[in-house]
Amino acid sequence: MKKIAILGSTGSIGTQALEVTDKIPEEFEVIALSAGNNIGLISKQIEKYNPKLVSVKTKEDADFLQKKYLNTRIVFGEDGLLTIAGLNEIDILLVAVSGKIGLKPTITAINNKKDIALANKETLVMAGDIVMKLAKENNVKILPVDSEHSAIFQCLNKRSEVKHLIITSSGGPFRTATKEEMEKADLTQALAHPRWNMGRKITVDSATLMNKGLEVIEAHHLFDFNYDDIKVVVHPQSYVHSAVEYVDGSIIAQIGNPSMHIPIQYALTYPERVEGIETESFDFVKAAKLEFYEPDFEKFPSLALAFEAGKRGGTYPVCMNAANEEAVFAFLGGKIKFTDIYKITKKVFDEYEPIQNPQIDDIISEDEKVREKTRKLIANKI
Ligand code: NDP
Ligand code: MG
């Protein structure tokens, strides 16, 4: 039995992770959970799982919950997440918060020699070099939860014999849209992802293909591949979750129905595979047609920008990630148009002066600096 803590247990990944543990309760003991503002849901989770420790975003919510639940210690804020990450009794930490708040708890848990199931891609985009080096030094496994990276992880037996990584993308809701239609795209259209039901920030990133760009950077760090050896292929059916090409020309792909339960479960039960929540076999005949296309870098310039940021290195990915996230929030708040997300991110990126070989403190301060600048640009309508 593994003792597990989940950061972001009220989110899309977090709730699906709990569904996984519900289905195979003999495999897991839930020790700690964390929420942001969703106090209704975390209350239900406390009642159901009786965790020892819970973190929420604000002190007021923590005080409220502590009065109600006397058997669970309730903490709050960034320190609350770090308290969970520092727990000695856990075997694995699932980092499923969204955004930059995933970074520090991941580092704490690695220093504490705990394996990480990593959904939070921002952690690797911002500080992949540091995190992967630290994991190696501490002999800690970073188990990917992102479906593409889980696929690659499952296909990649011998790193030295693999030539290319092939990351698939559904193409998002605007795959067949014209540039003019994208100029007019509203929030409902951007949030209507054809294949996956995810949190709002990542769903918008999937519409600009920035999500795929972040995943390229994530793959570069996780598997130690040069950017030129990472290919993106649009595959609207989302059955092939990604693939690796070996030096002899063999391509091994991981295939299945689109479901986050499978990669979440694989990260949590690794190295074992057990029967879990997804029981319906993938039906090749029913699937019938698998299509693949070249990504349109002109229509989706965010993808090209992410390759560029990754190749330049230093704090360029930090800048791109922070500017993009602020722009996405502004779009979600109705302040800017869909196509402004890229325009703003690009402007901030072009004017950015990076730090090479940054430390964690540099990364945090650069992230904040870029966010402030981006928010100013948005407030002043660029
Ligand atoms: P959601 O928005 O659904 O969930 C985010 C979680 O983080 C919630 O539990 C939320 O709490 C919590 N949270 C957000 N901000 C804070 C904060 N400041 N302090 C404490 N907790 C906070 O996101 P997803 O589950 O979709 O994504 C989570 C991560 O996983 C992201 O990094 C994403 O890129 C990655 N990912 C997601 C996939 C998916 O299918 N959803 C696939 C691959 C990767 P609350 O809701 O209570 O406020
Ligand atoms: Mg993904």
Side-chain angles (χ1 to χ4, degrees):
M1 179 175 279
K2 278 188 190 169
K3 294 186 171 175
I4 174 175
I6 302 177
L7 301 185
S9 63
T10 49
S12 159
I13 293 287
T15 50
Q16 293 181 86
L18 286 170
E19 286 162 16
V20 166
T21 66
D22 287 349
K23 186 72 188 184
I24 36 175
E26 65 283 4
E27 299 281 335
F28 301 108
E29 184 184 350
V30 177
I31 301 287
L33 298 172
S34 94
N37 298 314
N38 194 340
I39 299 310
L41 183 53
I42 195 71
S43 299
K44 285 192 189 132
Q45 292 177 349
I46 295 172
E47 284 160 25
K48 182 166 176 185
Y49 299 100
N50 194 22
K52 295 194 174 139
L53 183 63
V54 159
S55 180
V56 291
K57 200 163 167 185
T58 67
K59 181 171 185 319
E60 295 74 59
D61 285 337
D63 289 346
F64 167 80
L65 290 172
Q66 191 63 86
K67 281 191 196 117
K68 215 165 142 199
Y69 301 109
L70 301 175
N71 290 332
T72 299
R73 184 179 161 217
I74 317 277
V75 291
F76 65 93
E78 200 182 339
D79 284 351
L81 297 177
L82 295 178
T83 307
I84 293 181
L87 277 178
N88 255 332
E89 60 186 299
I90 60 171
D91 298 310
I92 186 161
L93 179 73
L94 170 60
V95 184
V97 283
S98 51
K100 63 170 176 172
I101 47 157
L103 176 57
K104 280 189 178 169
T106 304
I107 289 180
T108 300
I110 295 173
N111 278 326
N112 208 18
K113 304 204 185 317
K114 304 298 176 190
D115 286 339
I116 308 286
L118 189 62
N120 178 271
K121 56 192 81 182
E122 295 85 346
T123 291
L124 290 180
V125 171
M126 292 173 72
D129 288 334
I130 296 174
V131 168
M132 293 311 291
K133 184 164 170 266
L134 207 59
K136 209 170 176 187
E137 285 165 5
N138 283 283
N139 203 14
V140 157
K141 294 186 200 68
I142 306 286
L143 300 156
V145 169
D146 213 343
S147 59
E148 296 77 2
H149 306 77
S150 175
I152 291 168
F153 183 60
Q154 293 178 59
C155 299
L156 206 156
N157 287 324
K158 217 168 167 193
R159 164 67 185 83
S160 59
E161 291 175 358
V162 172
K163 193 157 71 165
H164 293 128
L165 303 182
I166 301 149
I167 300 182
T168 53
S169 157
S170 72
F174 301 128
R175 181 176 65 86
T176 56
T178 62
K179 270 184 151 180
E180 294 68 36
E181 284 165 339
M182 283 170 71
E183 285 287 340
K184 291 191 210 127
D186 64 17
L187 191 54
T188 317
Q189 290 167 313
L191 289 177
H193 197 276
R195 288 280 172 261
W196 302 96
N197 189 6
M198 309 174 285
R200 285 155 66 90
K201 179 334 176 130
I202 181 174
T203 305
V204 174
D205 281 345
S206 300
T208 58
L209 292 205
M210 176 55 93
N211 181 52
K212 211 44 57 182
L214 297 175
E215 289 183 353
V216 167
I217 300 175
E218 191 185 359
H220 160 82
H221 290 296
L222 272 174
F223 307 115
D224 190 20
F225 273 77
N226 289 330
Y227 286 97
D228 289 337
D229 295 328
I230 303 175
K231 300 186 169 162
V232 174
V233 176
V234 175
H235 167 46
Q237 291 80 13
S238 299
Y239 292 135
V240 177
H241 299 136
S242 281
V244 306
E245 182 182 353
Y246 282 84
V247 285
D248 62 359
S250 264
I251 292 189
I252 300 188
Q254 190 253 348
I255 298 176
N257 293 316
S259 158
M260 283 311 295
H261 287 127
I262 295 172
I264 293 169
Q265 180 175 313
Y266 189 62
L268 297 183
T269 62
Y270 180 84
E272 315 295 334
R273 286 184 191 270
V274 298
E275 222 174 279
I277 206 162
E278 297 295 341
T279 47
E280 199 189 327
S281 296
F282 174 71
D283 188 333
F284 277 82
V285 176
K286 224 157 102 195
K289 195 162 131 188
L290 304 183
E291 295 166 291
F292 299 94
Y293 303 99
E294 203 58 75
D296 186 338
F297 285 96
E298 206 199 313
K299 209 168 89 182
F300 297 103
S302 297
L303 180 57
L305 186 64
F307 268 100
E308 181 63 31
K311 281 180 189 170
R312 288 194 194 179
T315 47
Y316 269 116
V318 177
C319 165
M320 182 198 69
N321 177 61
N324 172 67
E325 192 167 304
E326 288 300 323
V328 170
F329 289 155
F331 173 66
L332 286 170
K335 291 186 194 144
I336 61 169
K337 287 197 311 181
F338 178 75
T339 43
D340 289 339
I341 298 172
Y342 169 74
K343 283 184 200 150
I344 290 165
T345 308
K346 175 84 165 99
K347 182 170 167 62
V348 175
F349 185 85
D350 284 345
E351 291 170 6
Y352 182 62
E353 281 175 30
I355 298 179
Q356 291 301 336
N357 303 315
Q359 302 302 303
I360 286 294
D361 287 348
D362 300 324
I363 289 172
I364 305 278
S365 62
E366 287 301 293
D367 173 89
E368 208 29 71
K369 203 170 88 186
V370 170
R371 282 172 196 272
E372 226 167 84
K373 173 164 180 177
T374 313
R375 287 194 289 258
K376 263 192 205 145
L377 279 178
I378 292 166
N380 299 333
K381 302 264 178 241
I382 311 184

